[in-house]
Amino acid sequence: MTTDANAPWLIVGLGNPGPGYAANRHNVGFMVADLLASRMGGAFKRHGKAQAQVLEGRIGPMGPGSRRVVLAKPMSYMNLSGGPVTALRDFYKIPTANIVAIHDELDIDYGTFRLKLGGGDNGHNGLKSMTKAMGPDYHRVRFGIGRPPGRMQVADFVLKDFSATERKELDYLVDRGADAVEALVTEGLERAQSSYNS
């Protein structure tokens, strides 16, 4: 599975729409996407053909090293992310291997990242929906949030805001997540993994 150097990339931050979810652990994908949008100097706009907010632009160094990207936040709920992502893929004619999902990951410690291509959904409803819609062969930037403490249910944990202790590092980690996405798109998976997988 190789990426097409000339095709644009579709970078998808996963989350739930609405102010009530904005600071939840489950919304780190939206947080990274928002930072990438500010780095690109643009603002999200509602897409006419997909239930998503999008920003078209370029990331990476000026010149031949930059890449055309469509940055997106699905405006469906997390468990329905596959519909908007597939609609955007088809609209922009983007190969599945040029799609990046940014999402929270329970099985990785808070503050840790893993970049990969393909694989299972590990119970993540956003990935489950995307994989059902278009298969598993897309990139993932997995943002570790750790496991719930004690007997807290997973659903309660991911839909809660980050703790006060976690918030001290959150801005730095969102920044690092955005760096990881840029490295993946401009330098390729292996180089990005060597820099950001910890």
Side-chain angles (χ1 to χ4, degrees):
M1 176 64 59
T2 57
T3 58
D4 181 341
N6 297 314
W9 285 75
L10 175 57
I11 300 170
V12 182
L14 293 179
N16 285 307
Y21 297 101
N24 289 178
R25 292 183 178 92
H26 222 20
N27 270 44
V28 290
F30 274 16
M31 296 174 198
V32 173
D34 285 338
L35 180 57
L36 286 167
S38 72
R39 288 184 182 184
M40 289 164 63
F44 284 102
K45 294 186 173 63
R46 200 155 195 87
H47 193 272
K49 302 285 186 187
Q51 193 180 355
Q53 291 184 348
V54 299
L55 170 61
E56 297 176 51
R58 300 187 83 86
I59 62 174
M62 293 294 285
S66 74
R67 296 284 180 267
R68 284 191 303 137
V69 300
V70 178
L71 187 60
K73 296 193 297 185
M75 289 289 110
S76 60
Y77 283 95
M78 179 73 86
N79 60 347
L80 300 172
S81 301
V85 175
T86 305
L88 292 171
R89 179 198 66 179
D90 295 347
F91 181 84
Y92 291 103
K93 299 178 173 53
I94 295 172
T96 303
N98 279 37
I99 297 174
V100 182
I102 312 160
H103 64 92
D104 58 307
E105 178 59 63
L106 286 160
D107 284 341
I108 302 175
D109 290 340
Y110 180 67
T112 303
F113 291 90
R114 294 273 194 285
L115 282 63
K116 63 184 276 195
L117 173 62
D121 57 57
N122 206 21
H124 191 288
N125 287 332
L127 299 183
K128 198 176 290 185
S129 178
M130 285 179 62
T131 297
K132 184 178 178 187
M134 62 187 187
D137 297 325
Y138 53 91
H139 288 84
R140 299 101 189 275
V141 173
R142 303 159 75 201
F143 189 122
I145 61 168
R147 301 293 304 183
R151 297 185 177 182
M152 184 187 287
Q153 293 294 311
V154 165
D156 294 335
F157 179 69
V158 299
L159 293 175
K160 277 197 166 28
D161 291 359
F162 286 97
S163 69
T165 304
E166 289 169 333
R167 282 199 296 272
K168 289 176 184 170
E169 280 191 284
L170 185 58
D171 286 349
Y172 164 76
L173 294 172
V174 169
D175 195 65
R176 187 164 169 78
D179 289 345
V181 173
E182 290 183 348
L184 170 59
V185 171
T186 60
E187 300 173 20
L189 178 61
E190 286 186 15
R191 287 189 65 179
Q193 284 175 324
S194 69
S195 298
Y196 293 94
N197 280 16
S198 48

mmCIF file of all heavy atoms in Angstrom, residues 148-175:
data_model
loop_
_atom_site.group_PDB
_atom_site.id
_atom_site.type_symbol
_atom_site.label_atom_id
_atom_site.label_comp_id
_atom_site.label_asym_id
_atom_site.label_seq_id
_atom_site.Cartn_x
_atom_site.Cartn_y
_atom_site.Cartn_z
ATOM 1 N N PRO A 148 -8.958 4.117 31.827
ATOM 2 C CA PRO A 148 -9.732 4.733 32.913
ATOM 3 C C PRO A 148 -9.223 4.258 34.277
ATOM 4 O O PRO A 148 -8.807 3.109 34.410
ATOM 5 C CB PRO A 148 -11.161 4.237 32.674
ATOM 6 C CG PRO A 148 -11.169 3.512 31.390
ATOM 7 C CD PRO A 148 -9.768 3.261 30.973
ATOM 8 N N PRO A 149 -9.285 5.131 35.269
ATOM 9 C CA PRO A 149 -8.865 4.710 36.614
ATOM 10 C C PRO A 149 -9.924 3.820 37.267
ATOM 11 O O PRO A 149 -11.122 3.950 36.993
ATOM 12 C CB PRO A 149 -8.748 6.043 37.364
ATOM 13 C CG PRO A 149 -9.704 6.954 36.665
ATOM 14 C CD PRO A 149 -9.710 6.526 35.222
ATOM 15 N N GLY A 150 -9.467 2.912 38.134
ATOM 16 C CA GLY A 150 -10.394 2.090 38.915
ATOM 17 C C GLY A 150 -11.389 1.342 38.051
ATOM 18 O O GLY A 150 -11.029 0.709 37.070
ATOM 19 N N ARG A 151 -12.642 1.475 38.423
ATOM 20 C CA ARG A 151 -13.705 0.765 37.698
ATOM 21 C C ARG A 151 -14.491 1.673 36.771
ATOM 22 O O ARG A 151 -15.591 1.339 36.337
ATOM 23 C CB ARG A 151 -14.658 0.100 38.701
ATOM 24 C CG ARG A 151 -13.975 -0.958 39.539
ATOM 25 C CD ARG A 151 -14.967 -1.664 40.421
ATOM 26 N NE ARG A 151 -14.335 -2.727 41.187
ATOM 27 C CZ ARG A 151 -14.990 -3.535 42.009
ATOM 28 N NH1 ARG A 151 -16.296 -3.371 42.178
ATOM 29 N NH2 ARG A 151 -14.353 -4.474 42.666
ATOM 30 N N MET A 152 -13.965 2.855 36.484
ATOM 31 C CA MET A 152 -14.685 3.773 35.595
ATOM 32 C C MET A 152 -14.889 3.133 34.226
ATOM 33 O O MET A 152 -13.992 2.503 33.677
ATOM 34 C CB MET A 152 -13.906 5.088 35.428
ATOM 35 C CG MET A 152 -14.668 6.126 34.591
ATOM 36 S SD MET A 152 -13.703 7.623 34.213
ATOM 37 C CE MET A 152 -13.675 8.424 35.795
ATOM 38 N N GLN A 153 -16.086 3.281 33.696
ATOM 39 C CA GLN A 153 -16.390 2.745 32.377
ATOM 40 C C GLN A 153 -15.631 3.519 31.302
ATOM 41 O O GLN A 153 -15.440 4.737 31.414
ATOM 42 C CB GLN A 153 -17.899 2.852 32.092
ATOM 43 C CG GLN A 153 -18.758 1.968 32.984
ATOM 44 C CD GLN A 153 -18.520 0.491 32.727
ATOM 45 O OE1 GLN A 153 -18.535 0.024 31.594
ATOM 46 N NE2 GLN A 153 -18.281 -0.244 33.809
ATOM 47 N N VAL A 154 -15.230 2.810 30.245
ATOM 48 C CA VAL A 154 -14.500 3.445 29.146
ATOM 49 C C VAL A 154 -15.293 4.610 28.560
ATOM 50 O O VAL A 154 -14.755 5.686 28.321
ATOM 51 C CB VAL A 154 -14.154 2.400 28.057
ATOM 52 C CG1 VAL A 154 -13.737 3.087 26.760
ATOM 53 C CG2 VAL A 154 -13.035 1.487 28.544
ATOM 54 N N ALA A 155 -16.595 4.396 28.335
ATOM 55 C CA ALA A 155 -17.423 5.445 27.719
ATOM 56 C C ALA A 155 -17.440 6.704 28.583
ATOM 57 O O ALA A 155 -17.390 7.830 28.072
ATOM 58 C CB ALA A 155 -18.842 4.943 27.489
ATOM 59 N N ASP A 156 -17.504 6.531 29.902
ATOM 60 C CA ASP A 156 -17.485 7.700 30.800
ATOM 61 C C ASP A 156 -16.135 8.395 30.737
ATOM 62 O O ASP A 156 -16.064 9.635 30.736
ATOM 63 C CB ASP A 156 -17.765 7.262 32.243
ATOM 64 C CG ASP A 156 -19.177 6.729 32.421
ATOM 65 O OD1 ASP A 156 -20.059 7.122 31.628
ATOM 66 O OD2 ASP A 156 -19.392 5.915 33.329
ATOM 67 N N PHE A 157 -15.061 7.611 30.690
ATOM 68 C CA PHE A 157 -13.708 8.161 30.700
ATOM 69 C C PHE A 157 -13.436 9.005 29.451
ATOM 70 O O PHE A 157 -12.957 10.131 29.545
ATOM 71 C CB PHE A 157 -12.701 7.014 30.790
ATOM 72 C CG PHE A 157 -11.265 7.434 30.797
ATOM 73 C CD1 PHE A 157 -10.721 8.117 31.875
ATOM 74 C CD2 PHE A 157 -10.432 7.117 29.727
ATOM 75 C CE1 PHE A 157 -9.378 8.489 31.886
ATOM 76 C CE2 PHE A 157 -9.095 7.489 29.732
ATOM 77 C CZ PHE A 157 -8.568 8.173 30.813
ATOM 78 N N VAL A 158 -13.761 8.470 28.275
ATOM 79 C CA VAL A 158 -13.423 9.198 27.046
ATOM 80 C C VAL A 158 -14.302 10.436 26.860
ATOM 81 O O VAL A 158 -13.898 11.388 26.191
ATOM 82 C CB VAL A 158 -13.479 8.302 25.775
ATOM 83 C CG1 VAL A 158 -12.478 7.163 25.880
ATOM 84 C CG2 VAL A 158 -14.872 7.789 25.474
ATOM 85 N N LEU A 159 -15.499 10.435 27.465
ATOM 86 C CA LEU A 159 -16.392 11.583 27.335
ATOM 87 C C LEU A 159 -16.260 12.566 28.493
ATOM 88 O O LEU A 159 -17.101 13.446 28.665
ATOM 89 C CB LEU A 159 -17.846 11.113 27.180
ATOM 90 C CG LEU A 159 -18.143 10.364 25.874
ATOM 91 C CD1 LEU A 159 -19.573 9.840 25.860
ATOM 92 C CD2 LEU A 159 -17.888 11.254 24.656
ATOM 93 N N LYS A 160 -15.191 12.417 29.264
ATOM 94 C CA LYS A 160 -14.881 13.407 30.299
ATOM 95 C C LYS A 160 -13.739 14.306 29.815
ATOM 96 O O LYS A 160 -12.936 13.911 28.975
ATOM 97 C CB LYS A 160 -14.440 12.691 31.589
ATOM 98 C CG LYS A 160 -15.598 12.220 32.448
ATOM 99 C CD LYS A 160 -15.125 11.911 33.851
ATOM 100 C CE LYS A 160 -16.242 11.761 34.855
ATOM 101 N NZ LYS A 160 -17.510 11.315 34.386
ATOM 102 N N ASP A 161 -13.670 15.509 30.387
ATOM 103 C CA ASP A 161 -12.574 16.411 30.066
ATOM 104 C C ASP A 161 -11.273 15.870 30.676
ATOM 105 O O ASP A 161 -11.296 15.086 31.626
ATOM 106 C CB ASP A 161 -12.841 17.807 30.628
ATOM 107 C CG ASP A 161 -13.995 18.509 29.909
ATOM 108 O OD1 ASP A 161 -14.569 17.925 28.963
ATOM 109 O OD2 ASP A 161 -14.323 19.646 30.308
ATOM 110 N N PHE A 162 -10.167 16.316 30.120
ATOM 111 C CA PHE A 162 -8.872 15.964 30.690
ATOM 112 C C PHE A 162 -8.782 16.475 32.123
ATOM 113 O O PHE A 162 -9.361 17.512 32.472
ATOM 114 C CB PHE A 162 -7.742 16.557 29.850
ATOM 115 C CG PHE A 162 -7.533 15.851 28.542
ATOM 116 C CD1 PHE A 162 -8.090 16.344 27.367
ATOM 117 C CD2 PHE A 162 -6.781 14.690 28.479
ATOM 118 C CE1 PHE A 162 -7.908 15.689 26.164
ATOM 119 C CE2 PHE A 162 -6.584 14.025 27.274
ATOM 120 C CZ PHE A 162 -7.146 14.529 26.120
ATOM 121 N N SER A 163 -8.044 15.750 32.963
ATOM 122 C CA SER A 163 -7.870 16.158 34.359
ATOM 123 C C SER A 163 -7.002 17.421 34.425
ATOM 124 O O SER A 163 -6.321 17.779 33.462
ATOM 125 C CB SER A 163 -7.190 15.036 35.151
ATOM 126 O OG SER A 163 -5.835 14.902 34.723
ATOM 127 N N ALA A 164 -6.998 18.060 35.571
ATOM 128 C CA ALA A 164 -6.186 19.272 35.754
ATOM 129 C C ALA A 164 -4.708 18.963 35.524
ATOM 130 O O ALA A 164 -3.986 19.751 34.903
ATOM 131 C CB ALA A 164 -6.408 19.834 37.150
ATOM 132 N N THR A 165 -4.261 17.803 35.987
ATOM 133 C CA THR A 165 -2.855 17.410 35.784
ATOM 134 C C THR A 165 -2.564 17.207 34.301
ATOM 135 O O THR A 165 -1.539 17.674 33.787
ATOM 136 C CB THR A 165 -2.551 16.109 36.556
ATOM 137 O OG1 THR A 165 -2.880 16.308 37.929
ATOM 138 C CG2 THR A 165 -1.090 15.727 36.436
ATOM 139 N N GLU A 166 -3.474 16.532 33.611
ATOM 140 C CA GLU A 166 -3.281 16.290 32.172
ATOM 141 C C GLU A 166 -3.289 17.590 31.378
ATOM 142 O O GLU A 166 -2.535 17.750 30.421
ATOM 143 C CB GLU A 166 -4.381 15.354 31.648
ATOM 144 C CG GLU A 166 -4.255 13.927 32.129
ATOM 145 C CD GLU A 166 -5.485 13.092 31.832
ATOM 146 O OE1 GLU A 166 -6.604 13.645 31.739
ATOM 147 O OE2 GLU A 166 -5.341 11.865 31.687
ATOM 148 N N ARG A 167 -4.137 18.527 31.811
ATOM 149 C CA ARG A 167 -4.252 19.785 31.067
ATOM 150 C C ARG A 167 -2.960 20.593 31.075
ATOM 151 O O ARG A 167 -2.718 21.386 30.169
ATOM 152 C CB ARG A 167 -5.418 20.625 31.598
ATOM 153 C CG ARG A 167 -6.773 20.150 31.108
ATOM 154 C CD ARG A 167 -7.848 21.209 31.254
ATOM 155 N NE ARG A 167 -8.101 21.561 32.641
ATOM 156 C CZ ARG A 167 -8.969 20.926 33.437
ATOM 157 N NH1 ARG A 167 -9.638 19.884 32.988
ATOM 158 N NH2 ARG A 167 -9.156 21.317 34.677
ATOM 159 N N LYS A 168 -2.115 20.386 32.093
ATOM 160 C CA LYS A 168 -0.833 21.108 32.146
ATOM 161 C C LYS A 168 0.034 20.787 30.933
ATOM 162 O O LYS A 168 0.821 21.618 30.493
ATOM 163 C CB LYS A 168 -0.079 20.749 33.435
ATOM 164 C CG LYS A 168 -0.718 21.325 34.685
ATOM 165 C CD LYS A 168 0.012 20.857 35.936
ATOM 166 C CE LYS A 168 -0.699 21.358 37.185
ATOM 167 N NZ LYS A 168 -0.149 20.724 38.410
ATOM 168 N N GLU A 169 -0.095 19.575 30.409
ATOM 169 C CA GLU A 169 0.714 19.143 29.266
ATOM 170 C C GLU A 169 -0.049 19.153 27.950
ATOM 171 O O GLU A 169 0.541 18.940 26.903
ATOM 172 C CB GLU A 169 1.207 17.702 29.499
ATOM 173 C CG GLU A 169 2.386 17.551 30.396
ATOM 174 C CD GLU A 169 2.926 16.128 30.310
ATOM 175 O OE1 GLU A 169 2.297 15.235 30.900
ATOM 176 O OE2 GLU A 169 3.941 15.916 29.626
ATOM 177 N N LEU A 170 -1.358 19.373 28.014
ATOM 178 C CA LEU A 170 -2.202 19.148 26.841
ATOM 179 C C LEU A 170 -1.813 20.017 25.647
ATOM 180 O O LEU A 170 -1.715 19.517 24.520
ATOM 181 C CB LEU A 170 -3.673 19.347 27.200
ATOM 182 C CG LEU A 170 -4.684 19.017 26.097
ATOM 183 C CD1 LEU A 170 -4.556 17.570 25.630
ATOM 184 C CD2 LEU A 170 -6.103 19.286 26.590
ATOM 185 N N ASP A 171 -1.571 21.304 25.866
ATOM 186 C CA ASP A 171 -1.222 22.182 24.740
ATOM 187 C C ASP A 171 0.052 21.694 24.042
ATOM 188 O O ASP A 171 0.132 21.673 22.816
ATOM 189 C CB ASP A 171 -1.031 23.630 25.202
ATOM 190 C CG ASP A 171 -2.349 24.317 25.523
ATOM 191 O OD1 ASP A 171 -3.415 23.754 25.199
ATOM 192 O OD2 ASP A 171 -2.317 25.419 26.122
ATOM 193 N N TYR A 172 1.040 21.311 24.844
ATOM 194 C CA TYR A 172 2.288 20.791 24.277
ATOM 195 C C TYR A 172 2.031 19.528 23.469
ATOM 196 O O TYR A 172 2.568 19.354 22.362
ATOM 197 C CB TYR A 172 3.292 20.502 25.404
ATOM 198 C CG TYR A 172 4.442 19.631 24.962
ATOM 199 C CD1 TYR A 172 5.485 20.142 24.181
ATOM 200 C CD2 TYR A 172 4.478 18.280 25.305
ATOM 201 C CE1 TYR A 172 6.530 19.330 23.756
ATOM 202 C CE2 TYR A 172 5.521 17.464 24.889
ATOM 203 C CZ TYR A 172 6.540 17.990 24.110
ATOM 204 O OH TYR A 172 7.555 17.183 23.686
ATOM 205 N N LEU A 173 1.178 18.640 23.986
ATOM 206 C CA LEU A 173 0.925 17.369 23.304
ATOM 207 C C LEU A 173 0.121 17.564 22.021
ATOM 208 O O LEU A 173 0.366 16.891 21.020
ATOM 209 C CB LEU A 173 0.218 16.398 24.253
ATOM 210 C CG LEU A 173 1.072 15.955 25.443
ATOM 211 C CD1 LEU A 173 0.237 15.160 26.435
ATOM 212 C CD2 LEU A 173 2.280 15.145 24.980
ATOM 213 N N VAL A 174 -0.839 18.473 22.041
ATOM 214 C CA VAL A 174 -1.595 18.772 20.821
ATOM 215 C C VAL A 174 -0.643 19.333 19.766
ATOM 216 O O VAL A 174 -0.717 18.978 18.577
ATOM 217 C CB VAL A 174 -2.759 19.746 21.125
ATOM 218 C CG1 VAL A 174 -3.385 20.286 19.843
ATOM 219 C CG2 VAL A 174 -3.823 19.036 21.971
ATOM 220 N N ASP A 175 0.284 20.177 20.190
ATOM 221 C CA ASP A 175 1.292 20.721 19.287
ATOM 222 C C ASP A 175 2.150 19.597 18.698
ATOM 223 O O ASP A 175 2.422 19.557 17.491
ATOM 224 C CB ASP A 175 2.166 21.713 20.065
ATOM 225 C CG ASP A 175 2.995 22.599 19.160
ATOM 226 O OD1 ASP A 175 2.409 23.391 18.414
ATOM 227 O OD2 ASP A 175 4.237 22.493 19.191
#
